[in-house]
Amino acid sequence: MSHSAASATTPQWWQPQTMALDECWHFTIGPVSLYFKRCLQEWLFGFERSTQPEQAYRVLSQSAACLPEALNSQRFMFRHSPGQFKLTPHLLERAVVIKTHQPVSIPAGEQSVFYISSPVSIEISLQEPNVVLMELPLQRLSDTWFGDSTQQGELCFADKTHARHSLDDIPTRPHRAVTAVTIENRSDRMLTIDKLSIPLPFLALYGHRDGSLWTDPLLLQHESVGQLTRFKIGKTLPLGLTSADLLASPRQHPDKNSLVRAFTGIFSQ
């Protein structure tokens, strides 16, 4: 994967972390800072969200003197506390609607690839034995309705992001996963796109060795006016990824018709 995101390597923050008794740890992923403390019979956990601009987001993992006093923490009790914690990224439980900054037009018979990112959530768990504490979204998104009417459609998340055309333009953002979307215009008219619905619950999530996150690729095929756009999950993973890099399986495995409904109304002529 030869692009700027790959050259700026980010730690693989989803690897397990071992902690000694009475040790505190500070973990930052993008806009969220996490704090852990392991005691003999309990774990303390708290988090806070950053108000810094996105350009300052990073991955930070370091020992801490203690949990911040102003932090609201939660206590999890055990007979003997597990010795490891793990942060597992997951795609969001709803589709995300992306509105382009300006309409994008694809001539008849042409195709184009866009790279679109979406924020992930993290499953916070303790290891040996495995105990899931909670799932936490790394970025708050607003709700939106996507569909032809109030009766036909689905509740989604709304996000603002660029639909980038080149891998070199993808910034390093540890809290977001990139989806490669190929759009084929098989009709005989100009195809204009002003928004896309990315069906995240149907996609798997992968972790690259450079610390970036990627989903299954998507293929959208537009045949003609009045026909539903066909949607397929690509079989070929982005360069540098294999099935061994799978971090999270799809949340849902819907039938073909429900996939089509999720994408109805994306395109305008």
Side-chain angles (χ1 to χ4, degrees), residues 35-56:
Y35 295 88
F36 297 88
K37 182 176 182 180
R38 181 195 174 201
C39 302
L40 180 62
Q41 293 183 312
E42 68 180 13
W43 274 77
L44 297 176
F45 167 73
F47 73 93
E48 58 186 359
R49 296 185 183 274
S50 172
T51 57
Q52 292 182 314
E54 190 174 71
Q55 293 86 340

PDB file of all heavy atoms in Angstrom, residues 35-56:
ATOM      1  N   TYR A  35      -8.400   5.764  30.202  1.00  0.00           N
ATOM      2  CA  TYR A  35      -7.549   5.562  31.375  1.00  0.00           C
ATOM      3  C   TYR A  35      -7.943   4.257  32.058  1.00  0.00           C
ATOM      4  O   TYR A  35      -9.136   3.995  32.294  1.00  0.00           O
ATOM      5  CB  TYR A  35      -7.704   6.723  32.360  1.00  0.00           C
ATOM      6  CG  TYR A  35      -7.213   8.042  31.814  1.00  0.00           C
ATOM      7  CD1 TYR A  35      -8.060   8.864  31.085  1.00  0.00           C
ATOM      8  CD2 TYR A  35      -5.901   8.458  32.028  1.00  0.00           C
ATOM      9  CE1 TYR A  35      -7.607  10.083  30.576  1.00  0.00           C
ATOM     10  CE2 TYR A  35      -5.444   9.669  31.522  1.00  0.00           C
ATOM     11  CZ  TYR A  35      -6.303  10.470  30.805  1.00  0.00           C
ATOM     12  OH  TYR A  35      -5.859  11.670  30.292  1.00  0.00           O
ATOM     13  N   PHE A  36      -6.937   3.457  32.393  1.00  0.00           N
ATOM     14  CA  PHE A  36      -7.156   2.175  33.048  1.00  0.00           C
ATOM     15  C   PHE A  36      -6.311   2.093  34.320  1.00  0.00           C
ATOM     16  O   PHE A  36      -5.196   2.610  34.364  1.00  0.00           O
ATOM     17  CB  PHE A  36      -6.746   1.012  32.137  1.00  0.00           C
ATOM     18  CG  PHE A  36      -7.526   0.893  30.865  1.00  0.00           C
ATOM     19  CD1 PHE A  36      -7.134   1.579  29.726  1.00  0.00           C
ATOM     20  CD2 PHE A  36      -8.664   0.090  30.791  1.00  0.00           C
ATOM     21  CE1 PHE A  36      -7.840   1.470  28.546  1.00  0.00           C
ATOM     22  CE2 PHE A  36      -9.380  -0.021  29.617  1.00  0.00           C
ATOM     23  CZ  PHE A  36      -8.970   0.673  28.490  1.00  0.00           C
ATOM     24  N   LYS A  37      -6.838   1.422  35.337  1.00  0.00           N
ATOM     25  CA  LYS A  37      -6.047   1.051  36.512  1.00  0.00           C
ATOM     26  C   LYS A  37      -6.458  -0.344  36.946  1.00  0.00           C
ATOM     27  O   LYS A  37      -7.646  -0.627  37.103  1.00  0.00           O
ATOM     28  CB  LYS A  37      -6.251   2.029  37.666  1.00  0.00           C
ATOM     29  CG  LYS A  37      -5.386   1.671  38.879  1.00  0.00           C
ATOM     30  CD  LYS A  37      -5.506   2.683  40.002  1.00  0.00           C
ATOM     31  CE  LYS A  37      -4.592   2.302  41.161  1.00  0.00           C
ATOM     32  NZ  LYS A  37      -4.671   3.277  42.281  1.00  0.00           N
ATOM     33  N   ARG A  38      -5.453  -1.191  37.114  1.00  0.00           N
ATOM     34  CA  ARG A  38      -5.705  -2.566  37.550  1.00  0.00           C
ATOM     35  C   ARG A  38      -5.342  -2.698  39.026  1.00  0.00           C
ATOM     36  O   ARG A  38      -4.221  -2.377  39.438  1.00  0.00           O
ATOM     37  CB  ARG A  38      -4.887  -3.546  36.727  1.00  0.00           C
ATOM     38  CG  ARG A  38      -5.136  -4.991  37.122  1.00  0.00           C
ATOM     39  CD  ARG A  38      -4.084  -5.930  36.581  1.00  0.00           C
ATOM     40  NE  ARG A  38      -4.285  -7.274  37.100  1.00  0.00           N
ATOM     41  CZ  ARG A  38      -3.334  -8.204  37.142  1.00  0.00           C
ATOM     42  NH1 ARG A  38      -2.108  -7.937  36.691  1.00  0.00           N
ATOM     43  NH2 ARG A  38      -3.591  -9.398  37.651  1.00  0.00           N
ATOM     44  N   CYS A  39      -6.292  -3.170  39.824  1.00  0.00           N
ATOM     45  CA  CYS A  39      -6.064  -3.485  41.226  1.00  0.00           C
ATOM     46  C   CYS A  39      -6.248  -4.986  41.428  1.00  0.00           C
ATOM     47  O   CYS A  39      -6.583  -5.704  40.493  1.00  0.00           O
ATOM     48  CB  CYS A  39      -7.020  -2.699  42.125  1.00  0.00           C
ATOM     49  SG  CYS A  39      -6.893  -0.908  41.923  1.00  0.00           S
ATOM     50  N   LEU A  40      -6.042  -5.449  42.644  1.00  0.00           N
ATOM     51  CA  LEU A  40      -6.080  -6.887  42.894  1.00  0.00           C
ATOM     52  C   LEU A  40      -7.428  -7.491  42.555  1.00  0.00           C
ATOM     53  O   LEU A  40      -7.508  -8.568  41.954  1.00  0.00           O
ATOM     54  CB  LEU A  40      -5.733  -7.177  44.354  1.00  0.00           C
ATOM     55  CG  LEU A  40      -5.720  -8.656  44.769  1.00  0.00           C
ATOM     56  CD1 LEU A  40      -4.666  -9.429  43.977  1.00  0.00           C
ATOM     57  CD2 LEU A  40      -5.484  -8.789  46.272  1.00  0.00           C
ATOM     58  N   GLN A  41      -8.521  -6.788  42.898  1.00  0.00           N
ATOM     59  CA  GLN A  41      -9.858  -7.332  42.685  1.00  0.00           C
ATOM     60  C   GLN A  41     -10.755  -6.391  41.868  1.00  0.00           C
ATOM     61  O   GLN A  41     -11.969  -6.569  41.859  1.00  0.00           O
ATOM     62  CB  GLN A  41     -10.524  -7.646  44.035  1.00  0.00           C
ATOM     63  CG  GLN A  41      -9.839  -8.781  44.790  1.00  0.00           C
ATOM     64  CD  GLN A  41     -10.567  -9.107  46.076  1.00  0.00           C
ATOM     65  OE1 GLN A  41     -10.904  -8.238  46.868  1.00  0.00           O
ATOM     66  NE2 GLN A  41     -10.811 -10.400  46.291  1.00  0.00           N
ATOM     67  N   GLU A  42     -10.165  -5.452  41.184  1.00  0.00           N
ATOM     68  CA  GLU A  42     -10.987  -4.546  40.396  1.00  0.00           C
ATOM     69  C   GLU A  42     -10.168  -3.891  39.298  1.00  0.00           C
ATOM     70  O   GLU A  42      -8.942  -3.817  39.342  1.00  0.00           O
ATOM     71  CB  GLU A  42     -11.624  -3.476  41.275  1.00  0.00           C
ATOM     72  CG  GLU A  42     -10.630  -2.482  41.854  1.00  0.00           C
ATOM     73  CD  GLU A  42     -11.310  -1.429  42.717  1.00  0.00           C
ATOM     74  OE1 GLU A  42     -12.483  -1.595  43.074  1.00  0.00           O
ATOM     75  OE2 GLU A  42     -10.641  -0.419  43.036  1.00  0.00           O
ATOM     76  N   TRP A  43     -10.896  -3.424  38.264  1.00  0.00           N
ATOM     77  CA  TRP A  43     -10.352  -2.555  37.221  1.00  0.00           C
ATOM     78  C   TRP A  43     -11.122  -1.246  37.280  1.00  0.00           C
ATOM     79  O   TRP A  43     -12.363  -1.234  37.402  1.00  0.00           O
ATOM     80  CB  TRP A  43     -10.533  -3.189  35.839  1.00  0.00           C
ATOM     81  CG  TRP A  43      -9.437  -4.131  35.432  1.00  0.00           C
ATOM     82  CD1 TRP A  43      -9.257  -5.417  35.858  1.00  0.00           C
ATOM     83  CD2 TRP A  43      -8.386  -3.865  34.498  1.00  0.00           C
ATOM     84  NE1 TRP A  43      -8.156  -5.980  35.256  1.00  0.00           N
ATOM     85  CE2 TRP A  43      -7.604  -5.052  34.418  1.00  0.00           C
ATOM     86  CE3 TRP A  43      -8.013  -2.772  33.735  1.00  0.00           C
ATOM     87  CZ2 TRP A  43      -6.481  -5.150  33.593  1.00  0.00           C
ATOM     88  CZ3 TRP A  43      -6.902  -2.861  32.910  1.00  0.00           C
ATOM     89  CH2 TRP A  43      -6.144  -4.032  32.847  1.00  0.00           C
ATOM     90  N   LEU A  44     -10.411  -0.138  37.172  1.00  0.00           N
ATOM     91  CA  LEU A  44     -11.028   1.173  37.047  1.00  0.00           C
ATOM     92  C   LEU A  44     -10.850   1.648  35.615  1.00  0.00           C
ATOM     93  O   LEU A  44      -9.776   1.493  35.022  1.00  0.00           O
ATOM     94  CB  LEU A  44     -10.381   2.168  38.003  1.00  0.00           C
ATOM     95  CG  LEU A  44     -10.507   1.882  39.498  1.00  0.00           C
ATOM     96  CD1 LEU A  44      -9.733   2.922  40.298  1.00  0.00           C
ATOM     97  CD2 LEU A  44     -11.959   1.866  39.929  1.00  0.00           C
ATOM     98  N   PHE A  45     -11.906   2.243  35.063  1.00  0.00           N
ATOM     99  CA  PHE A  45     -11.852   2.722  33.676  1.00  0.00           C
ATOM    100  C   PHE A  45     -12.581   4.046  33.567  1.00  0.00           C
ATOM    101  O   PHE A  45     -13.652   4.251  34.146  1.00  0.00           O
ATOM    102  CB  PHE A  45     -12.503   1.715  32.722  1.00  0.00           C
ATOM    103  CG  PHE A  45     -12.758   2.266  31.356  1.00  0.00           C
ATOM    104  CD1 PHE A  45     -11.711   2.483  30.477  1.00  0.00           C
ATOM    105  CD2 PHE A  45     -14.041   2.626  30.950  1.00  0.00           C
ATOM    106  CE1 PHE A  45     -11.930   3.029  29.215  1.00  0.00           C
ATOM    107  CE2 PHE A  45     -14.279   3.158  29.695  1.00  0.00           C
ATOM    108  CZ  PHE A  45     -13.210   3.358  28.825  1.00  0.00           C
ATOM    109  N   GLY A  46     -12.004   4.960  32.794  1.00  0.00           N
ATOM    110  CA  GLY A  46     -12.650   6.233  32.498  1.00  0.00           C
ATOM    111  C   GLY A  46     -12.176   6.753  31.164  1.00  0.00           C
ATOM    112  O   GLY A  46     -11.158   6.301  30.628  1.00  0.00           O
ATOM    113  N   PHE A  47     -12.916   7.705  30.591  1.00  0.00           N
ATOM    114  CA  PHE A  47     -12.515   8.269  29.301  1.00  0.00           C
ATOM    115  C   PHE A  47     -12.960   9.723  29.215  1.00  0.00           C
ATOM    116  O   PHE A  47     -13.845  10.180  29.953  1.00  0.00           O
ATOM    117  CB  PHE A  47     -13.104   7.461  28.140  1.00  0.00           C
ATOM    118  CG  PHE A  47     -14.589   7.649  27.928  1.00  0.00           C
ATOM    119  CD1 PHE A  47     -15.068   8.595  27.032  1.00  0.00           C
ATOM    120  CD2 PHE A  47     -15.504   6.879  28.640  1.00  0.00           C
ATOM    121  CE1 PHE A  47     -16.430   8.779  26.843  1.00  0.00           C
ATOM    122  CE2 PHE A  47     -16.864   7.046  28.455  1.00  0.00           C
ATOM    123  CZ  PHE A  47     -17.326   7.991  27.550  1.00  0.00           C
ATOM    124  N   GLU A  48     -12.321  10.448  28.287  1.00  0.00           N
ATOM    125  CA  GLU A  48     -12.700  11.819  28.000  1.00  0.00           C
ATOM    126  C   GLU A  48     -12.472  12.095  26.526  1.00  0.00           C
ATOM    127  O   GLU A  48     -11.626  11.462  25.891  1.00  0.00           O
ATOM    128  CB  GLU A  48     -11.895  12.798  28.862  1.00  0.00           C
ATOM    129  CG  GLU A  48     -10.398  12.703  28.699  1.00  0.00           C
ATOM    130  CD  GLU A  48      -9.650  13.585  29.678  1.00  0.00           C
ATOM    131  OE1 GLU A  48     -10.307  14.274  30.470  1.00  0.00           O
ATOM    132  OE2 GLU A  48      -8.400  13.583  29.648  1.00  0.00           O
ATOM    133  N   ARG A  49     -13.238  13.037  25.984  1.00  0.00           N
ATOM    134  CA  ARG A  49     -13.150  13.372  24.562  1.00  0.00           C
ATOM    135  C   ARG A  49     -12.373  14.668  24.369  1.00  0.00           C
ATOM    136  O   ARG A  49     -12.510  15.604  25.144  1.00  0.00           O
ATOM    137  CB  ARG A  49     -14.545  13.491  23.941  1.00  0.00           C
ATOM    138  CG  ARG A  49     -15.318  12.182  23.966  1.00  0.00           C
ATOM    139  CD  ARG A  49     -16.646  12.278  23.236  1.00  0.00           C
ATOM    140  NE  ARG A  49     -17.382  11.022  23.337  1.00  0.00           N
ATOM    141  CZ  ARG A  49     -17.220  10.004  22.526  1.00  0.00           C
ATOM    142  NH1 ARG A  49     -16.354  10.106  21.516  1.00  0.00           N
ATOM    143  NH2 ARG A  49     -17.915   8.897  22.678  1.00  0.00           N
ATOM    144  N   SER A  50     -11.584  14.697  23.310  1.00  0.00           N
ATOM    145  CA  SER A  50     -10.736  15.850  23.027  1.00  0.00           C
ATOM    146  C   SER A  50     -11.516  16.939  22.300  1.00  0.00           C
ATOM    147  O   SER A  50     -12.449  16.664  21.542  1.00  0.00           O
ATOM    148  CB  SER A  50      -9.543  15.410  22.178  1.00  0.00           C
ATOM    149  OG  SER A  50      -8.810  16.536  21.730  1.00  0.00           O
ATOM    150  N   THR A  51     -11.128  18.181  22.523  1.00  0.00           N
ATOM    151  CA  THR A  51     -11.682  19.310  21.784  1.00  0.00           C
ATOM    152  C   THR A  51     -10.663  19.846  20.769  1.00  0.00           C
ATOM    153  O   THR A  51     -10.889  20.895  20.166  1.00  0.00           O
ATOM    154  CB  THR A  51     -12.082  20.435  22.753  1.00  0.00           C
ATOM    155  OG1 THR A  51     -10.929  20.831  23.526  1.00  0.00           O
ATOM    156  CG2 THR A  51     -13.180  19.968  23.702  1.00  0.00           C
ATOM    157  N   GLN A  52      -9.557  19.132  20.581  1.00  0.00           N
ATOM    158  CA  GLN A  52      -8.538  19.554  19.631  1.00  0.00           C
ATOM    159  C   GLN A  52      -9.009  19.341  18.202  1.00  0.00           C
ATOM    160  O   GLN A  52      -9.889  18.509  17.941  1.00  0.00           O
ATOM    161  CB  GLN A  52      -7.244  18.765  19.857  1.00  0.00           C
ATOM    162  CG  GLN A  52      -6.536  19.078  21.160  1.00  0.00           C
ATOM    163  CD  GLN A  52      -5.248  18.289  21.291  1.00  0.00           C
ATOM    164  OE1 GLN A  52      -5.201  17.096  21.049  1.00  0.00           O
ATOM    165  NE2 GLN A  52      -4.179  18.984  21.678  1.00  0.00           N
ATOM    166  N   PRO A  53      -8.441  20.075  17.234  1.00  0.00           N
ATOM    167  CA  PRO A  53      -8.785  19.844  15.823  1.00  0.00           C
ATOM    168  C   PRO A  53      -8.321  18.463  15.374  1.00  0.00           C
ATOM    169  O   PRO A  53      -7.400  17.880  15.955  1.00  0.00           O
ATOM    170  CB  PRO A  53      -8.032  20.957  15.086  1.00  0.00           C
ATOM    171  CG  PRO A  53      -6.924  21.339  16.013  1.00  0.00           C
ATOM    172  CD  PRO A  53      -7.468  21.166  17.397  1.00  0.00           C
ATOM    173  N   GLU A  54      -8.956  17.956  14.315  1.00  0.00           N
ATOM    174  CA  GLU A  54      -8.678  16.595  13.864  1.00  0.00           C
ATOM    175  C   GLU A  54      -7.222  16.398  13.465  1.00  0.00           C
ATOM    176  O   GLU A  54      -6.678  15.298  13.588  1.00  0.00           O
ATOM    177  CB  GLU A  54      -9.588  16.237  12.685  1.00  0.00           C
ATOM    178  CG  GLU A  54      -9.533  14.768  12.311  1.00  0.00           C
ATOM    179  CD  GLU A  54     -10.545  14.397  11.245  1.00  0.00           C
ATOM    180  OE1 GLU A  54     -10.354  14.806  10.096  1.00  0.00           O
ATOM    181  OE2 GLU A  54     -11.526  13.702  11.583  1.00  0.00           O
ATOM    182  N   GLN A  55      -6.541  17.447  13.018  1.00  0.00           N
ATOM    183  CA  GLN A  55      -5.149  17.321  12.607  1.00  0.00           C
ATOM    184  C   GLN A  55      -4.257  16.881  13.768  1.00  0.00           C
ATOM    185  O   GLN A  55      -3.164  16.347  13.556  1.00  0.00           O
ATOM    186  CB  GLN A  55      -4.629  18.653  12.045  1.00  0.00           C
ATOM    187  CG  GLN A  55      -5.293  19.067  10.737  1.00  0.00           C
ATOM    188  CD  GLN A  55      -6.583  19.839  10.975  1.00  0.00           C
ATOM    189  OE1 GLN A  55      -7.170  19.758  12.043  1.00  0.00           O
ATOM    190  NE2 GLN A  55      -7.020  20.574   9.974  1.00  0.00           N
ATOM    191  N   ALA A  56      -4.711  17.097  15.000  1.00  0.00           N
ATOM    192  CA  ALA A  56      -3.902  16.746  16.170  1.00  0.00           C
ATOM    193  C   ALA A  56      -4.169  15.325  16.663  1.00  0.00           C
ATOM    194  O   ALA A  56      -3.513  14.871  17.605  1.00  0.00           O
ATOM    195  CB  ALA A  56      -4.179  17.745  17.300  1.00  0.00           C
TER     196      ALA A  56
END
